[in-house]
Amino acid sequence: MTGIDDLAGQTLDLAAGRAAEAVVRVTRRRQGLTRFATSFVHQNVGDEHTAVEVTVVVDGRVAGASSSVVDTPGLHRLVDQALAAAAVQPVDEGWPGAAPLEHLGDADRPSYDDETAAAGPADRVEVVRRFVAEAGGLEAAGYCETLAEEVVLVTTAGQHVRSAATRAVIDGIARDGGHDGVGSIESRSLRDLDGAACGRAAADSALASARDGGPADLAPGRYEVVLSPRCVAYMLDFLTVYGFNAKMVAEGQSFASLGEVQLDERLSFSDDALDGRTTGLRFDADGTPKRRVDFVVDGRVVGLAHDRRTARLVGGGAESTGHGIGSPAMGAIPTNTFLTGSSPQPVDDLIAGVERGLWVKDFWYTRVLNPKSLVVTGLTRNGVFLIEDGAVKGPVSNLRFTQSPVAAFGPGQVLGVGDDARLAPGGLHVSSHHTPSLRLAAWNFTGGAAG
């Protein structure tokens, strides 16, 4: 099998003689997914392929094409298609030029795990088996996934970078009647997936939701909350896509204002693909090496995410921060983020400080209503519990919320930070975020799950 470096070189050679500039990205991907429902594995699927993407620039006209047919005739057709598409495009005034030679930074820990890359169905089934066993007879459903990627990117401007990353996830629910609880772990390594712990967490939450006859209805209103890492991560996707994205700021569509204190002083927010606790590649879609970038330090906005286009758009010496995702319409989006907080404490202690409020385990179906103020609506699920006088009193029916995370995380609004930081998926499914639970002064619940 032809190596991905060779495929990248061959494709660049084919394009370079016929275009002013070219960028080639070759990805070799191996993915396995094991799904389970009614406490039984019902599906194992796998995909392994190599794909080549090429972007060409001819007389200022930019176009791209991609293919998984990577023999010599396939590569010729791929370049021909890209050039034909470029011929009918308007001139792209925002094209920033292909990335020049720039070396990758040193990672704290490698983000590629050989065992995870080689994992097969039996390895994932064992994680699922432990989840189901610890669910204690409750009906269990969910999935276990492993993913390995190797990527090479080369440009006519001299850039040649290579990176590899793995990811493993167990995510499932346990159900007691109609009451669900969730357990999940995400890591670069399959060894980190403690299926038993996830199964116990899901079962404990489901059983608690079914206690005393099931959830009680609660009137809409503003409540103090303790949000799980999953809930916080759902909100962080909106902060990265609509907030600290330099394109959104330049277009006047973001809340973010450099130099201003816009989040609580307890909070800091950064992006660092070189930190081994995340699962990303070491360069972005443009080929720019990634590095640590701070967006918020002690509540103050200190940085924005740039790709090569936004840096050119803004000017004034701005440079790419390595956050290109290959979508000019979307801009630059951080995908390896860390939310940290001062004086972290156990979640039980966060709950103990609440006079009357809610402990929320999960959000879903979240949508932005106003990108500028970042007002988001969504629903709770998989466990909502009333807190009174520092103790969890019982389950509450699911609620709809309408809330800006910028306001909820704003100055004076963060009353406590959990010591349970972990990777959790974001609400727009753009990335996962390493985040703790948060105790917040107020969260606006606007109705029941029906509306």
Side-chain angles (χ1 to χ4, degrees), residues 369-418:
L369 299 179
N370 186 325
K372 176 80 174 190
S373 60
L374 214 59
V375 174
V376 174
T377 189
L379 298 167
T380 67
R381 67 171 175 176
N382 296 327
V384 187
F385 301 92
L386 180 66
I387 306 169
E388 289 184 331
D389 299 323
V392 178
K393 292 299 184 181
V396 172
S397 297
N398 283 318
L399 296 162
R400 173 167 292 280
F401 66 87
T402 305
Q403 176 66 56
S404 165
V406 180
F409 300 170
Q413 297 301 299
V414 178
L415 305 181
V417 177

Side-chain angles (χ1 to χ4, degrees), residues 129-155:
R129 184 192 68 77
R130 293 173 181 170
F131 185 106
V132 171
E134 287 298 321
L138 300 185
E139 183 180 317
Y143 70 93
C144 181
E145 180 185 33
T146 52
L147 172 68
E149 269 191 331
E150 297 175 81
V151 181
V152 170
L153 187 145
V154 294
T155 75

Side-chain angles (χ1 to χ4, degrees), residues 322-341:
H323 291 112
I325 63 167
S327 173
M330 291 291 290
I333 299 177
T335 55
N336 304 105
T337 70
F338 292 81
L339 183 73
T340 58

Side-chain angles (χ1 to χ4, degrees), residues 217-429:
D217 289 335
L218 189 71
R222 294 179 66 80
Y223 291 88
E224 188 174 328
V225 291
V226 175
L227 300 184
S228 74
R230 283 175 72 98
C231 293
V232 177
Y234 257 62
M235 296 299 102
L236 293 181
D237 251 13
F238 292 98
L239 265 71
T240 56
V241 172
Y242 297 101
F244 301 111
N245 179 341
K247 180 176 185 290
M248 299 296 285
V249 174
E251 294 175 350
Q253 299 185 66
S254 169
F255 73 89
S257 180
L258 285 169
E260 291 190 14
V261 176
Q262 295 186 284
L263 299 187
D264 192 277
E265 64 179 8
R266 291 174 181 259
L267 299 180
S268 295
F269 189 50
S270 63
D271 183 273
D272 190 359
L274 306 186
D275 188 308
R277 293 172 294 175
T278 189
T279 59
L281 298 169
R282 295 170 60 198
F283 56 85
D284 72 359
D286 297 333
T288 303
K290 289 180 174 285
R291 53 185 171 82
R292 178 187 169 94
V293 179
D294 290 319
F295 302 118
V296 177
V297 175
D298 299 334
R300 188 180 303 277
V301 178
V302 298
L304 301 174
H306 281 284
D307 58 16
R308 290 180 59 78
R309 279 182 180 270
T310 64
R312 184 176 188 274
L313 173 67
V314 172
E319 296 181 348
S320 173
T321 55
H323 291 112
I325 63 167
S327 173
M330 291 291 290
I333 299 177
T335 55
N336 304 105
T337 70
F338 292 81
L339 183 73
T340 58
S342 59
S343 304
Q345 56 189 136
V347 174
D348 286 347
D349 290 351
L350 298 183
I351 293 170
V354 178
E355 182 176 341
R356 190 169 192 270
L358 295 172
W359 183 22
V360 186
K361 295 292 192 73
D362 200 5
F363 286 152
W364 73 301
Y365 205 60
T366 51
R367 298 292 185 270
V368 67
L369 299 179
N370 186 325
K372 176 80 174 190
S373 60
L374 214 59
V375 174
V376 174
T377 189
L379 298 167
T380 67
R381 67 171 175 176
N382 296 327
V384 187
F385 301 92
L386 180 66
I387 306 169
E388 289 184 331
D389 299 323
V392 178
K393 292 299 184 181
V396 172
S397 297
N398 283 318
L399 296 162
R400 173 167 292 280
F401 66 87
T402 305
Q403 176 66 56
S404 165
V406 180
F409 300 170
Q413 297 301 299
V414 178
L415 305 181
V417 177
D419 63 359
D420 57 345
R422 60 182 177 85
L423 276 179
L428 299 176
H429 309 290

Side-chain angles (χ1 to χ4, degrees), residues 11-234:
T11 309
L12 189 67
D13 288 344
L14 289 172
R18 302 168 64 189
E21 294 179 275
V23 179
V24 177
R25 178 184 171 106
V26 182
T27 302
R28 180 162 291 159
R29 182 182 179 98
R30 186 173 191 267
Q31 183 178 20
L33 181 66
T34 299
R35 292 191 176 100
F36 59 105
T38 61
S39 300
F40 289 94
V41 171
H42 67 91
Q43 186 180 49
N44 267 300
V45 294
D47 173 62
E48 187 169 358
H49 71 273
T50 300
V52 180
E53 304 166 68
V54 59
T55 298
V56 296
V57 184
V58 181
D59 297 327
R61 306 172 191 275
V62 183
S66 63
S67 177
S68 58
V69 180
V70 296
D71 57 11
T72 298
L75 297 181
H76 277 275
R77 285 194 298 272
L78 174 65
V79 172
D80 288 343
Q81 290 168 0
L83 290 166
V88 297
Q89 296 296 314
V91 172
D92 186 346
E93 301 291 351
W95 171 249
L101 177 63
E102 187 177 356
H103 297 293
L104 300 181
D106 293 328
D108 291 342
R109 285 179 285 171
S111 56
Y112 188 89
D113 179 73
D114 290 329
E115 179 182 315
T116 304
D123 302 299
R124 295 187 297 274
V125 165
E126 178 58 22
V127 177
V128 171
R129 184 192 68 77
R130 293 173 181 170
F131 185 106
V132 171
E134 287 298 321
L138 300 185
E139 183 180 317
Y143 70 93
C144 181
E145 180 185 33
T146 52
L147 172 68
E149 269 191 331
E150 297 175 81
V151 181
V152 170
L153 187 145
V154 294
T155 75
T156 48
Q159 181 63 309
H160 187 152
V161 283
R162 181 188 181 111
S163 184
T166 54
R167 183 169 67 96
V169 180
I170 174 69
D171 194 304
I173 62 168
R175 172 166 293 177
D176 183 15
H179 311 296
D180 297 340
V182 66
S184 67
I185 297 175
E186 179 174 345
S187 174
R188 67 183 180 87
S189 173
L190 184 65
R191 288 187 302 274
D192 293 340
L193 303 192
D194 188 339
C198 282
R200 283 195 300 273
D204 288 347
S205 186
L207 291 169
S209 293
R211 194 177 66 191
D212 300 329
D217 289 335
L218 189 71
R222 294 179 66 80
Y223 291 88
E224 188 174 328
V225 291
V226 175
L227 300 184
S228 74
R230 283 175 72 98
C231 293
V232 177
Y234 257 62

